Amino acid sequence: MSVGNKKKKPRRPWSEKGGPPQPRALWLHVDSKRLLNGIMLGTLLGLFVLAIIFHRTGTQPAARTIGSFALILAGCVLYSLYLVSFESSRIRASRSILALGMFSLMPILAAVWFPHFRIPLYLIPVTLVAFIFGIAYSERTAISVSFMLCLLVGLSLHITSASHELPGSVTNPYDLLMVLFAGAAVAALGCGHIRKRSKLLKVGLASSLVQGVLIAAVMAQAGKPVVIEECALGFLNGVLSAALISAGLPIIESIFKITTDISLLELSDQNHPLLRRLSLEAPGTYHHSLILGNLAEAAGEAIGANSLLLRVGAYFHDIGKVVKPEYFVENEGIHGSMHSNLSPTMSTLIITAHSKDGAEMAREAGLPQAIADLIQQHHGTSLVEFFYREAVGRSDSKEKVDDALFRHGGPRPQTKEAAVLMLSDAVESASRSLPDPSPSRIARQVHEIINRKLIDGQLEECDLTLAEVHKVEQSLVRSLTSLFHGRIKYPEPDESAEREQNGDRNR
């Protein structure tokens, strides 16, 4: 068939996609609402900075004032547009936007006020902001923000230098910006996936060394003697920034609503009150959670998801079962099933309630919102098939059973981590029923379970791609195959030989 005769696929109406399409700016990959928010945030930042600068420098010629106004305003607007374009998912809350503005203003205000108070410019806290953005967002964002802030710091110093002499040995602001950006870049690149507070200090030390060496290099390049005190200031910048971040980490987590690896490692302690209660009141569920943590962590690493969050989330995902542990099959004792005298509908209500109960318990215990979301989303709106089929078998052939009565309350997984936890939980539970867990049977069962989740639409609201689903499937098959590995049957002892050996010993 020729290219011109190919039929175009009909486009689905927006009503089938969950809502009308958002209006988009022609020159940015961001909708108009975010574009407006970015412009407003940048304008406010720019006006505030300009007010401070002009307050410090006094009246200036009209041309210089207009030029300064245009440069600062353009820099702040572009800076804000970058944030709302590439980090919009984390700055929706008003508190996060306010915190962004406050932290972003710190280096700019330092550039305005430090010359007045004769404070060394090598202490401008660009490295501190790089640490904050690297922990709250990503290394890429921290480096980009540091670069933009260095440009704004340079503009502010250029305007301020008209009325105040720059303190210390700084005669060329561009050398200063190079030193500040290099230290901030080292901090940004090193603050990803920090699992120990000591690593923060190591990263701060590396940033300090880079700044100290560059300060010495700048002095040598300018033909000046190397001043140890100036190099020490660069060293102090990185170390002091790391120390402040280490002490203020809980504040950063609270402001930006994030959960760092350090906090997750603290939550993975099996002596946590909720995990201790789970191990005592629902030991079967506790054992299942430990195994699931290993499966989900390996699957998360396969697709680049937050594997530590998956492991800790798996530990807590079924804490709601402690409300009625005996109603879940892994905790059934010698008395047998508690559902034998209940209707399928009532049994479904008891089973599906554990997600909601677990999320409430997590919030009461002060667990991070990310953990509570995993608890509530790890079943999505999946069908409780056992009791649904039992209800279908009990009903008359003329009466149709509504499957909505036999589904979990949801919501469906909203993140990759929640989706991976759902798939891992489903295959781990189902693998227990395999009579002969051979590798081929495990692979077939895992494939069927994941396909059912896809067909049921459980993964439609998260950003998990089909390629990543395939990687998760392969990881789960490998983990389950290792879990159900075969054992060599030990030979039974020969009774006659054993009697002879005993007889010899008696002699």
Side-chain angles (χ1 to χ4, degrees):
M1 184 183 294
S2 63
V3 177
N5 295 330
K6 284 186 178 180
K7 294 183 179 179
K8 294 183 178 180
K9 293 182 180 180
R11 298 179 66 183
R12 289 191 300 164
W14 60 259
S15 57
E16 297 178 10
K17 300 180 182 179
Q22 294 293 327
R24 290 189 173 273
L26 297 177
W27 54 283
L28 279 178
H29 294 291
V30 58
D31 59 72
S32 300
K33 184 178 180 180
R34 292 178 185 172
L35 177 63
L36 181 61
N37 289 339
I39 294 175
M40 292 178 61
L41 177 61
T43 302
L44 291 176
L45 287 176
L47 292 176
F48 183 80
V49 172
L50 285 167
I52 297 295
I53 290 177
F54 291 143
H55 173 71
R56 297 301 317 150
T57 59
T59 58
Q60 297 181 3
R64 185 179 179 87
T65 302
I66 294 174
S68 302
F69 179 85
L71 288 174
I72 292 292
L73 193 61
C76 290
V77 169
L78 290 175
Y79 170 71
S80 301
L81 284 176
Y82 170 81
L83 292 177
V84 299
S85 299
F86 296 101
E87 296 294 344
S88 58
S89 60
R90 295 199 179 187
I91 58 174
R92 293 174 181 172
S94 301
R95 182 166 57 176
S96 296
I97 295 176
L98 180 61
L100 279 173
M102 291 176 59
F103 289 128
S104 301
L105 283 173
M106 287 169 53
I108 304 174
L109 295 181
V112 175
W113 287 92
F114 279 15
H116 176 72
F117 293 103
R118 310 303 297 172
I119 300 176
L121 298 182
Y122 290 117
L123 294 179
I124 293 178
V126 179
T127 302
L128 178 64
V129 177
F131 267 118
I132 294 173
F133 277 75
I135 293 173
Y137 297 105
S138 64
E139 295 94 325
R140 183 196 69 178
T141 302
I143 292 177
S144 303
V145 165
S146 300
F147 179 75
M148 295 180 182
L149 285 178
C150 284
L151 293 180
L152 292 173
V153 166
L155 289 173
S156 302
L157 286 175
H158 180 70
I159 298 172
T160 306
S161 61
S163 58
H164 293 85
E165 183 182 354
L166 298 180
S169 61
V170 179
T171 57
N172 187 356
Y174 299 107
D175 294 337
L176 170 67
L177 299 183
M178 183 183 67
V179 173
L180 293 178
F181 177 69
V186 172
L189 291 173
C191 65
H193 301 292
I194 292 181
R195 297 193 173 189
K196 294 182 179 179
R197 295 182 187 273
S198 60
K199 185 181 177 181
L200 277 173
L201 298 178
K202 292 179 182 178
V203 174
L205 181 62
S207 175
S208 299
L209 290 175
V210 169
Q211 293 183 68
V213 171
L214 285 180
I215 291 173
V218 166
M219 292 180 178
Q221 189 271 338
K224 299 179 180 179
V226 177
V227 181
I228 301 300
E229 289 78 4
E230 294 283 339
C231 299
L233 291 174
F235 187 85
L236 181 62
N237 192 340
V239 172
L240 186 60
S241 298
L244 290 175
I245 290 297
S246 180
L249 201 59
I251 300 175
I252 296 175
E253 291 182 344
S254 176
I255 291 175
F256 290 98
K257 294 292 183 181
I258 59 172
T259 306
T260 62
D261 288 352
I262 295 176
S263 297
L264 289 175
L265 282 174
E266 293 172 354
L267 291 174
S268 65
D269 184 4
Q270 298 303 307
N271 289 318
H272 190 281
L274 286 179
L275 295 181
R276 290 289 298 167
R277 181 182 175 188
L278 184 67
S279 65
L280 295 175
E281 299 181 19
T285 301
Y286 176 73
H287 181 259
H288 156 71
S289 299
L290 293 180
I291 296 176
L292 179 61
N294 295 328
L295 297 181
E297 183 178 26
E301 289 179 352
I303 62 171
N306 191 335
S307 57
L308 184 57
L309 174 61
L310 276 166
R311 176 156 66 92
V312 178
Y315 290 163
F316 290 94
H317 82 289
D318 272 346
I319 56 174
K321 290 184 178 181
V322 298
V323 177
K324 294 182 178 180
E326 66 276 6
Y327 283 87
F328 297 89
V329 63
E330 67 268 22
N331 301 312
E332 287 180 1
I334 60 175
H335 302 293
S337 175
M338 301 292 291
H339 296 277
S340 56
N341 297 324
L342 299 178
S343 65
T345 306
M346 181 59 66
S347 296
T348 302
L349 290 175
I350 296 175
I351 294 298
T352 57
H354 81 276
S355 298
K356 182 180 178 182
D357 294 338
E360 292 178 355
M361 293 173 63
R363 295 187 185 99
E364 291 174 358
L367 295 182
Q369 185 61 38
I371 301 294
D373 291 340
L374 290 179
I375 294 172
Q376 198 159 12
Q377 298 171 19
H378 79 276
H379 280 301
T381 57
S382 299
L383 184 68
V384 185
E385 295 187 15
F386 180 84
F387 294 114
Y388 173 71
R389 292 177 181 177
E390 184 177 346
V392 171
R394 293 186 183 183
S395 65
D396 298 332
S397 57
K398 297 180 180 179
E399 183 182 356
K400 185 178 180 181
V401 178
D402 185 8
D403 66 345
L405 300 175
F406 297 89
R407 289 187 175 272
H408 288 272
R412 295 173 180 174
Q414 305 294 307
T415 61
K416 288 183 179 181
E417 288 77 14
V420 171
L421 185 61
M422 166 188 276
L423 299 178
S424 304
D425 185 32
V427 301
E428 198 282 330
S429 302
S431 65
R432 297 291 176 180
S433 63
L434 282 176
D436 181 20
S438 62
S440 58
R441 290 188 178 183
I442 290 174
R444 183 166 56 251
Q445 186 183 60
V446 170
H447 183 72
E448 291 175 355
I449 290 174
I450 292 179
N451 268 351
R452 286 203 297 268
K453 296 295 183 183
L454 285 169
I455 294 172
D456 197 29
Q458 297 302 315
L459 307 181
E460 288 183 352
E461 298 180 13
C462 65
D463 54 351
L464 197 67
T465 64
L466 288 177
E468 290 172 333
V469 171
H470 182 63
K471 291 180 181 179
V472 170
E473 178 181 337
Q474 290 179 323
S475 174
L476 292 175
V477 171
R478 284 195 301 269
S479 298
L480 288 174
T481 302
S482 301
L483 181 64
F484 293 103
H485 61 84
R487 285 281 189 180
I488 298 176
K489 185 177 181 181
Y490 292 98
E492 296 182 2
D494 188 354
E495 295 182 0
S496 60
E498 187 176 358
R499 283 196 299 268
E500 293 178 1
Q501 187 177 6
N502 292 335
D504 293 339
R505 288 178 180 175
N506 293 332
R507 291 176 186 177

